[in-house]
Amino acid sequence: MTVRQDIHSSGIPVLCQSCEARHRGVCGALDPEQLVGLAKISSKHNVEPGVELIGDAETVDSYSNVLSGVVKLTKSLSDGRQQIVGLQFAPDFLGRPFKVESAINAEAATTVSLCSFPKAAIERMMKESPQLEHRLFKQTLNELDEARDWMVTLGRKSASEKVASFLLMIARNIDPALDPAAQSTTFDLPLTRADIADFLGLTIETVSRQLTRLRTDRVIRIDSTRHVTVENMGRLERRSGA
């Protein structure tokens, strides 16, 4: 039997034992005693698609670990226009520590499972645990790297490469239990064609044409408009221009 090296199962609260975020997310930096303390004030809950999780300029009083599903992040202009600026997957940390108000909108793009905990408690634990602060800092830097990579996608890649890059990102991240070395996967598109177009800076018609092209070239299969099968991740990666 394989034993994880980051944290042992002995003394782990029931709430946390089957949670992948405990190992790969920020909670992986906590020892059993700290996890017990956090579990006492945490709650797991599911959120339906379309429900707002965080509002722009809203007072922040809690944080969450994403356990499953996809969260859509948007920025709003004063006239009501919005731009999708990112997606979050398990085991991403939802919220910005040490800020009084949110500077972003977060919405459930699919059914999302969250583990939420009070803001004050997690910030106190961060001050007491350098490991937790380091893990969160590392995750934040990873998100910064991903944002910079996405800027290259939006600024330099062709429409075909943009759509392939989007599908590759979803394929790699939407299932937290997926083996990173897996060469095939299936998933439901978490965004509508309109949202995909918004995210990629394309028109809906262009997104539809590029999806059809990838399907015609047998890079992907699409069933029931949103269910996608990728049989060869390597082919999709090559089409993304990576």
Side-chain angles (χ1 to χ4, degrees), residues 21 23-30 63-66 88 91-99 117 119 121-127 129-144:
H23 301 287
R24 299 190 296 116
V26 296
C27 290
L30 301 178
Y63 301 128
S64 300
N65 282 327
V66 180
Q88 287 193 308
D92 287 342
F93 184 85
L94 181 59
R96 182 68 61 86
F98 306 115
K99 288 201 71 174
F117 25 78
K119 173 180 182 287
I122 199 69
E123 290 185 351
R124 182 178 64 254
M125 293 182 72
M126 287 174 60
K127 293 177 180 178
S129 172
Q131 294 87 353
L132 175 59
E133 188 174 35
H134 176 77
R135 181 71 69 99
L136 185 57
F137 181 60
K138 182 177 179 181
Q139 190 175 80
T140 302
L141 290 178
N142 287 340
E143 291 180 5
L144 177 60

Side-chain angles (χ1 to χ4, degrees), residues 4 7 28 35 81 149 156-157 190 194 198 225:
R4 295 182 183 270
I7 191 166
L35 278 174
R81 286 177 294 168
D149 288 341
R156 291 294 178 225
K157 289 188 178 182
D198 177 39
T225 71

Side-chain angles (χ1 to χ4, degrees), residues 24-40:
R24 299 190 296 116
V26 296
C27 290
L30 301 178
D31 60 33
E33 183 178 348
Q34 291 171 319
L35 278 174
V36 169
L38 187 60
K40 290 178 180 179

Side-chain angles (χ1 to χ4, degrees), residues 32-174:
E33 183 178 348
Q34 291 171 319
L35 278 174
V36 169
L38 187 60
K40 290 178 180 179
I41 54 174
S42 300
S43 63
K44 286 187 177 180
H45 53 106
N46 293 329
V47 181
E48 294 302 309
V51 174
E52 184 180 79
L53 306 176
I54 301 174
D56 190 11
E58 183 178 278
T59 300
V60 177
D61 57 13
S62 66
Y63 301 128
S64 300
N65 282 327
V66 180
L67 305 182
S68 65
V70 182
V71 175
K72 178 174 67 175
L73 305 178
T74 63
K75 291 283 289 185
S76 300
L77 298 178
S78 58
D79 61 4
R81 286 177 294 168
Q82 287 190 333
Q83 171 69 46
I84 300 174
V85 296
L87 300 176
Q88 287 193 308
F89 309 87
D92 287 342
F93 184 85
L94 181 59
R96 182 68 61 86
F98 306 115
K99 288 201 71 174
V100 176
E101 291 185 348
S102 170
I104 203 164
N105 297 83
E107 177 186 312
T110 66
T111 299
V112 173
S113 179
L114 299 172
C115 183
S116 301
F117 25 78
K119 173 180 182 287
I122 199 69
E123 290 185 351
R124 182 178 64 254
M125 293 182 72
M126 287 174 60
K127 293 177 180 178
E128 297 171 350
S129 172
Q131 294 87 353
L132 175 59
E133 188 174 35
H134 176 77
R135 181 71 69 99
L136 185 57
F137 181 60
K138 182 177 179 181
Q139 190 175 80
T140 302
L141 290 178
N142 287 340
E143 291 180 5
L144 177 60
D145 289 340
E146 291 166 1
R148 286 170 173 166
D149 288 341
W150 197 247
M151 288 175 65
V152 175
T153 295
L154 297 180
R156 291 294 178 225
K157 289 188 178 182
S158 67
S160 177
E161 290 171 334
K162 286 181 180 181
V163 173
S165 295
F166 170 77
L167 293 175
L168 187 63
M169 176 178 63
I170 301 302
R172 286 173 170 170
N173 293 286
I174 197 168

